[in-house]
């Protein structure tokens, strides 16, 4: 994946001033976001080639909140098992070592960064979970779609936006409202006002938290599928990027994470460039509307409740 960033370096370049600003925000965010001990230990395990599922079980078992989360996920419609999963050991075997690492770290980031301090922050949190669910459902249609990586990328695709809202709250509200006379496109406003975009910052933070280069790239370029489609980037990456971008459009379509009277540019999945690339006709796209809506109602609380009800 290192080659990917060489291929795409001309897409949405960052100015020297923007690079300096991003580095400053990323450094401050490292201090702002203190991952819980279980997430930090899991990161250490992921870096150890000799670590085992038993090591993971020993670490996770010491954190009741993580145990509860993994059991809920293993018993959710994501895996569709006929028998209830009641042990942490079985949950780890079902979900997988790498996916658990990403899920627990992503959930920690969601809890620490997407803090529902007001209705706008809450909407960002709901959007993150909605995009994660939509990404997973869409990815299951494709052999080339990595469902677990798609879920993580969907959850974190607007990571940079949540951090920018925390840091620049008053100045950043026009982005969430889509107020005029600011440019209607979010990234245009961000670059004009702050010197960098939420996608550029989000990609940098994903690297900082040691997510895979694929996840970093999906966060970094989810607003740039049209440009990416013309590059020599791997087909697998293009499929995952189309899924992430299309999931974002489904959230628009369903109003997930959208506030009342919000004037953001509405993006429909119907007839989109991503849908065309994925070979999805209108009947299939409309079928996903219902599937995503039902899954969001059924499963979003798994991730939202620990954040929204956090003391």
């Amino acid at each position: 994946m290192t080659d990917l960033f060489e291929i795409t370096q001309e897409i949405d370049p960052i100015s020297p001033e923007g690079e300096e600003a991003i580095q400053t925000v990323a450094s401050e965010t490292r201090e702002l976001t203190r991952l819980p001990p279980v997430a930090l230990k899991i990161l250490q395990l992921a870096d150890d080639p000799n670590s085992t599922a038993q090591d993971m079980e020993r670490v996770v078992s010491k954190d009741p909140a993580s145990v509860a989360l993994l059991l809920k996920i293993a018993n959710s419609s994501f895996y569709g098992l006929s028998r209830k999963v009641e042990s942490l050991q079985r949950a780890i075997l079902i979900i997988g070592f790498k996916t658990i690492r990403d899920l627990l770290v992503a959930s920690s980031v969601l809890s620490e960064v997407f803090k529902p301090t007001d209705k706008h922050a809450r909407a960002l949190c709901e959007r993150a979970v909605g995009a994660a669910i939509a990404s997973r459902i869409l990815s299951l249609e494709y052999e080339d779609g990595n469902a677990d990586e798609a879920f993580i990328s969907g959850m974190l695709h607007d990571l940079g936006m949540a951090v920018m809202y925390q840091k620049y709250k008053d100045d950043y509200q026009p982005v969430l409202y889509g107020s005029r006379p600011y440019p209607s496109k979010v990234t245009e406003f961000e670059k004009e006002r702050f010197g960098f975009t939420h996608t550029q910052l989000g990609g940098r933070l994903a690297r900082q938290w040691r997510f895979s280069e694929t996840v970093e790239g999906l966060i970094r370029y989810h607003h740039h599928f049209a440009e990416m489609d013309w590059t020599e980037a791997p087909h697998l990456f293009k499929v995952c990027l189309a899924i992430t971008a299309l999931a974002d459009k489904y959230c628009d379509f369903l109003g997930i994470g959208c506030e009342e009277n919000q004037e953001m540019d509405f993006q429909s999945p119907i007839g989109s460039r991503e849908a065309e690339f994925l070979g999805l006709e209108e009947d299939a796209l409309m079928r996903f509307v219902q599937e995503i809506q039902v899954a969001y109602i059924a499963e979003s609380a798994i991730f939202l409740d620990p954040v929204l009800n956090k003391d």
Side-chain angles (χ1 to χ4, degrees):
M1 284 294 293
T2 302
D3 291 342
L4 170 70
F5 295 104
E6 295 176 359
I7 292 169
T8 60
Q9 61 183 333
E10 297 303 318
I11 297 177
D12 192 30
I14 306 173
S15 69
E17 296 78 12
E19 179 67 36
E20 185 178 348
I22 286 176
Q23 188 57 46
T24 299
V25 176
S27 297
E28 292 173 352
T29 304
R30 184 182 293 111
E31 297 303 318
L32 170 73
T33 307
R34 300 184 184 280
L35 298 180
V38 65
L40 293 172
K41 289 179 181 178
I42 287 171
L43 283 171
Q44 292 171 358
L45 284 179
D47 290 338
D48 181 359
N50 297 317
S51 60
T52 65
Q54 287 73 31
D55 295 327
M56 172 76 80
E57 183 179 1
R58 279 194 294 272
V59 169
V60 176
S61 64
K62 296 176 182 177
D63 183 63
S66 296
V67 173
L69 176 63
L70 294 181
L71 288 174
K72 286 179 181 178
I73 292 170
N75 285 297
S76 72
S77 60
F78 295 153
Y79 292 94
L81 301 176
S82 57
R83 293 177 58 189
K84 185 175 181 179
V85 178
E86 297 182 336
S87 72
L88 176 59
Q89 183 181 47
R90 179 158 166 73
I92 290 173
L93 291 174
I94 290 167
I95 300 172
F97 190 100
K98 179 183 179 299
T99 301
I100 286 175
R101 176 263 187 204
D102 285 354
L103 277 170
L104 293 182
V105 175
S107 296
S108 297
V109 171
L110 185 73
S111 180
E112 294 299 319
V113 178
F114 291 79
K115 295 177 181 177
T117 52
D118 55 38
K119 65 178 182 178
H120 312 308
R122 180 185 177 109
L124 285 172
C125 188
E126 292 171 348
R127 178 73 162 222
V129 174
I133 290 172
S135 294
R136 182 177 174 85
I137 288 173
L138 291 167
S139 70
L140 291 173
E141 290 288 305
Y142 301 93
E143 291 184 6
D144 287 341
N146 184 320
D148 296 321
E149 210 152 49
F151 183 88
I152 301 302
S153 300
M155 181 176 288
L156 300 179
H157 79 289
D158 278 343
L159 168 63
M161 186 175 284
V163 171
M164 291 175 79
Y165 180 62
Q166 280 192 49
K167 181 171 177 60
Y168 308 112
K169 192 167 186 177
D170 291 338
D171 287 342
Y172 200 74
Q173 282 192 5
V175 172
L176 302 181
Y177 289 134
S179 300
R180 307 303 185 261
Y182 300 110
S184 59
K185 290 188 178 296
V186 168
T187 52
E188 287 179 12
F189 169 78
E190 291 170 338
K191 191 167 286 188
E192 179 181 311
R193 176 64 182 81
F194 305 105
F196 61 92
T197 69
H198 72 278
T199 55
Q200 293 168 344
L201 175 60
R204 183 64 52 83
L205 292 171
R207 185 186 306 173
Q208 181 171 292
W209 281 311
R210 288 184 279 176
F211 286 98
S212 71
E213 290 183 327
T214 298
V215 170
E216 178 188 344
L218 295 176
I219 294 170
R220 174 71 175 81
Y221 295 109
H222 72 269
H223 283 311
H224 296 281
F225 176 77
E227 298 96 320
M228 189 68 70
D229 194 18
W230 290 100
T231 71
E232 296 179 2
H235 177 74
L236 173 58
F237 179 79
K238 290 182 182 180
V239 170
C240 294
L241 185 64
I243 287 170
T244 302
L246 192 60
D248 201 25
K249 289 179 169 63
Y250 270 107
C251 287
D252 275 348
F253 194 80
L254 291 167
I256 297 173
C258 298
E259 299 178 42
E260 188 177 354
N261 300 322
Q262 193 173 17
E263 296 181 12
M264 301 292 285
D265 285 346
F266 178 80
Q267 302 181 87
S268 173
I270 310 300
S272 65
R273 178 75 172 269
E274 294 85 359
E276 181 182 355
F277 174 83
L278 293 170
L280 294 172
E281 301 291 341
E282 186 169 346
D283 58 341
L285 290 166
M286 293 308 297
R287 171 171 56 84
F288 283 127
V289 169
Q290 183 175 8
E291 289 184 18
I292 292 168
Q293 190 171 38
V294 169
Y296 181 78
I297 292 171
E299 308 296 354
S300 61
I302 293 176
F303 299 94
L304 287 174
D305 281 355
V307 180
L308 300 181
N309 299 324
K310 186 177 180 180
D311 295 332

